[in-house]
Amino acid sequence: MASSSSRSRAAVVGAGPVGCLAALSLANRGFDVDVYERRSDPRPPPQAHASSSSSSNNDTQLAEKSAPTKPIDRSINLAISARGLKALSAVQHSDSQGENLAEVLLRHAVPMRARMIHTKGDGKAGGAGPSSNSQAYSTAGEHINSVSRSLLNTLLVEAAAAHPKVSLHFDCKLRAIDLEAKEHVGEKEAQGQCSLSFDSFEGKEEKSTRWADLVVGCDGINSIVRNTLARLVPLNFHQEYIDSEYIELRIPPAQAPTQDPSSSASSSSSSSRTDIEYALDPHHLHIWPRQTFMLIALANLDHSFTSTLFAPNSILSTLTTREAVLRFFRQEFPDALPLFGEEELVEMVLRRGGKGARLSSIKCDPYHYGGRAVILGDAAHAMLPFYGQGLNCGFEDVGVFAELLDQHGVRGDHPSSSVGLASALSQYTRDRHADLVAIVDLAADNYRVMSSSVVDPLYLLRKQLDSLLMTWLPKGWWSSLYSMVTFSPDVGYARAMQREEWQQRLLQRVIVGGGAAVVGATVGLGWVWRRGGLERFTTPFVRRGSAL
């Protein structure tokens, strides 16, 4: 860190949700923070550069100003769960009367307590038609939260802009980063440890150089910061595309006719007015699984649903005419077609020209360079969206990073603590790598679960067995993989995978060894435990077993 300044400067590359949360975490630890973003300011023009006079007014208007008014081509709705909320709760929103960011966000989210699985029936005349069934996420009432990406990003940009130690810079085209600039230009010329060179800065077509002591890369899957690391250290990198692509769609609010209170009882029906309501139950994540492709829908606050079609290019490439689009949806999603409206659906699909957005994941290692740079979020571990953990994991990255800064005594307003920064970043790579590899793999595998397994009898049987064991056994003895990943932020992703593998092996042994009697005895012991009879004898075992 620069010894000539009383406060160290951090450069955060990327003003997405992870970048803004990282900026706030660093500013709260005494750093002066510059956030650089190539895109324009996402806030509506009246707010983009104006200070807020009323936090409550901002909060009530945020959902309206950030709500999408048309389909978004490259933005799957976000499902925020326990890991993301834990990281957000560690940061106060300075304009929201002492609330933390998680509390502010939840006011603008729609809780989803279960999956709703929509099947199309056998398609035969007089046969079974489309049906649906609900699959609860948790036996304890836990839920995930649907939130618009644009709304969340606006919330975090506004929170960062309100912090006195954070400066936001939009429309900045970053060309190169020199993480050894101080050594290259000399002690007298350097204004920090690292330099960032821009071809354009804040929309002005002129070259600019900025300095920082720490560079935090939150610049997504095509990260410039990660590419810079790769030129300085042996960086293992793997990117994998899947055959499926996606098209973003929108289910509009439904019209709910209601009687106008001002009209008399004898008035004709023409005097009624129309309100809006959700076209589907908003508290479910809706899935239409079709083996190799699927449709999903998540609720928005404006009573619409953000819907996404995931399918191989061999299918999407055929959806280039009105007839082809309607034929495909009538055959595969007959109950969903009326929700979109035929003409609206055709317009949304044809806009893509038979091409969906590509989906890929990346893994890399290490995530840092000395005490000068670290990459977080998609820059380090872009994953497929099928576990709903991409942003949750990115927020968790920030939380882990901030905790390590605290453990190593690193603060921006104490430049002498710079000796601990390299150790903190090195430990971040060591501690985080196994978890990040695990969740990237889990997200890829969950596509199979969502598109086909959710209607597979064996999967449903295992899900019911998990629920039974979680209900009757002592807390901590058994937990489904989904519950550990989504609702247990203190259980690392890698630990969750290991425990699930152990549970699978145990069930296989139970089944091979005459399972029904063993399961019955186990549940019976759980019942006795719940009555308090075995606690003094088995507590030591539970403490050991809970580490599995």
Side-chain angles (χ1 to χ4, degrees):
M1 295 183 181
S3 58
S4 59
S5 173
S6 60
R7 182 176 290 130
S8 297
R9 182 167 293 278
V12 175
V13 182
V18 174
C20 289
L21 185 62
L24 287 164
S25 295
L26 287 165
N28 287 342
R29 286 162 177 80
F31 286 83
D32 285 332
V33 184
D34 289 296
V35 181
Y36 302 107
E37 172 58 55
R38 64 178 177 80
R39 295 169 297 185
S40 299
D41 193 328
R43 293 171 291 176
Q47 292 182 256
H49 304 291
S51 60
S52 302
S53 59
S54 170
S55 61
S56 60
N57 186 56
N58 280 347
D59 288 336
T60 56
Q61 295 178 5
L62 180 60
E64 293 181 5
K65 293 183 177 180
S66 302
T69 57
K70 61 180 181 179
I72 302 171
D73 290 334
R74 297 183 62 255
S75 179
I76 299 169
N77 252 38
L78 301 170
I80 303 298
S81 53
R83 295 177 191 271
L85 293 174
K86 179 182 177 181
L88 289 169
S89 67
V91 179
Q92 297 298 117
H93 192 304
S94 59
D95 278 357
S96 293
Q97 301 175 349
E99 289 183 303
N100 61 52
L101 290 176
E103 293 169 326
V104 175
L105 172 65
L106 288 175
R107 291 207 305 273
H108 304 291
V110 179
M112 298 186 296
R113 301 182 179 90
R115 294 169 175 161
M116 185 68 78
I117 308 303
H118 299 262
T119 55
K120 64 176 180 178
D122 56 23
K124 298 178 181 178
S131 62
S132 60
N133 70 88
S134 178
Q135 298 178 1
Y137 282 126
S138 168
T139 59
E142 296 156 311
H143 62 269
I144 59 179
N145 302 278
S146 173
V147 62
S148 159
R149 183 184 296 270
S150 59
L151 185 151
L152 175 61
N153 201 33
T154 299
L155 166 68
L156 287 166
V157 166
E158 290 181 342
H163 200 292
K165 292 187 176 69
V166 177
S167 298
L168 300 173
H169 310 279
F170 294 96
D171 298 302
C172 297
K173 186 176 180 180
L174 179 61
R175 182 181 74 255
I177 302 170
D178 187 350
L179 297 178
E180 298 180 333
K182 183 177 180 180
E183 289 77 10
H184 293 159
V185 304
E187 182 81 30
K188 293 183 179 180
E189 297 295 326
Q191 300 175 40
Q193 305 281 7
C194 316
S195 66
L196 298 90
S197 300
F198 296 88
D199 283 337
S200 62
F201 195 80
E202 295 186 339
K204 299 177 181 178
E205 294 297 326
E206 55 186 38
K207 297 184 184 299
S208 178
T209 299
R210 298 297 170 114
W211 291 83
D213 302 302
L214 170 66
V215 177
V216 181
C218 302
D219 48 341
I221 193 169
N222 298 310
S223 171
I224 294 177
V225 181
R226 186 186 64 240
N227 292 340
T228 301
L229 297 186
R231 290 192 289 269
L232 295 171
V233 297
L235 188 138
N236 299 308
F237 178 81
H238 175 74
Q239 183 169 14
E240 183 175 354
Y241 286 87
I242 64 170
D243 180 50
S244 287
E245 302 173 356
Y246 72 92
I247 292 178
E248 194 83 352
L249 306 169
R250 179 176 180 269
I251 296 175
Q255 302 300 313
T258 59
Q259 189 70 25
D260 191 332
S262 63
S263 63
S264 65
S266 61
S267 298
S268 67
S269 60
S270 61
S271 64
S272 64
R273 60 187 177 84
T274 300
D275 289 338
I276 61 172
E277 65 181 9
Y278 286 103
L280 296 162
D281 183 345
H283 301 301
H284 282 78
L285 167 59
H286 294 267
I287 306 175
W288 289 259
R290 301 295 184 263
Q291 297 296 322
T292 59
F293 57 95
M294 67 176 175
L295 181 73
I296 68 171
L298 293 84
N300 297 307
L301 283 179
D302 66 353
H303 293 81
S304 70
F305 283 80
T306 297
S307 180
T308 310
L309 173 62
F310 297 95
N313 178 261
S314 59
I315 291 177
L316 296 184
S317 63
T318 67
L319 305 181
T320 56
T321 67
R322 182 179 188 278
E323 293 74 19
V325 172
L326 292 179
R327 182 170 57 251
F328 175 72
F329 273 81
R330 285 169 182 159
Q331 178 179 336
E332 300 296 343
F333 310 111
D335 57 332
L337 178 56
L339 305 178
F340 293 106
E342 289 190 359
E343 298 308 317
E344 292 79 2
L345 175 65
V346 168
E347 180 185 355
M348 289 186 286
V349 175
L350 294 187
R351 185 186 299 125
R352 297 297 307 187
K355 297 179 180 179
R358 299 296 304 273
L359 291 165
S360 71
S361 60
I362 67 168
K363 301 174 185 175
C364 69
D365 173 49
Y367 308 115
H368 75 288
Y369 173 67
R372 299 190 181 184
V374 65
I375 51 176
L376 308 174
D378 283 354
H381 51 76
M383 66 190 71
L384 301 178
F386 305 118
Y387 224 119
Q389 285 296 302
L391 187 60
N392 287 290
C393 183
F395 284 161
E396 189 177 65
D397 288 348
V398 177
V400 172
F401 172 54
E403 289 175 3
L404 289 173
L405 293 181
D406 294 341
Q407 288 178 22
H408 288 267
V410 177
R411 289 192 58 85
D413 47 9
H414 295 116
S416 60
S417 68
S418 62
V419 293
L421 184 54
S423 298
L425 299 189
S426 178
Q427 186 176 344
Y428 177 84
T429 288
R430 292 195 309 271
D431 291 356
R432 198 74 178 130
H433 182 60
D435 283 336
L436 298 183
V437 170
I439 189 54
V440 171
D441 290 340
L442 285 169
D445 186 63
N446 213 47
Y447 184 41
R448 175 187 56 79
V449 173
M450 293 179 68
S451 63
S452 60
S453 295
V454 289
V455 293
D456 182 270
L458 289 178
Y459 170 84
L460 296 175
L461 178 62
R462 170 62 196 276
K463 185 176 175 66
Q464 291 174 352
L465 183 57
D466 279 337
S467 297
L468 176 68
L469 294 173
M470 290 169 66
T471 299
W472 283 101
L473 290 177
K475 186 175 182 180
W477 273 35
W478 197 273
S479 186
S480 69
L481 178 60
Y482 186 87
S483 180
M484 288 186 283
V485 169
T486 307
F487 302 124
S488 305
D490 295 328
V491 178
Y493 293 119
R495 182 90 160 271
M497 282 189 73
Q498 292 166 0
R499 181 168 178 176
E500 169 62 12
E501 291 169 358
W502 175 83
Q503 291 179 166
Q504 285 185 345
R505 291 195 301 270
L506 178 61
L507 287 178
Q508 289 169 358
R509 291 169 185 168
V510 166
I511 293 171
V512 170
V518 178
V519 170
T522 304
V523 172
L525 287 173
W527 182 83
V528 174
W529 168 283
R530 289 161 67 88
R531 298 293 295 270
L534 295 179
E535 183 169 3
R536 64 192 179 115
F537 298 106
T538 55
T539 294
F541 171 76
V542 174
R543 287 174 179 164
R544 291 193 300 271
S546 64
L548 293 172

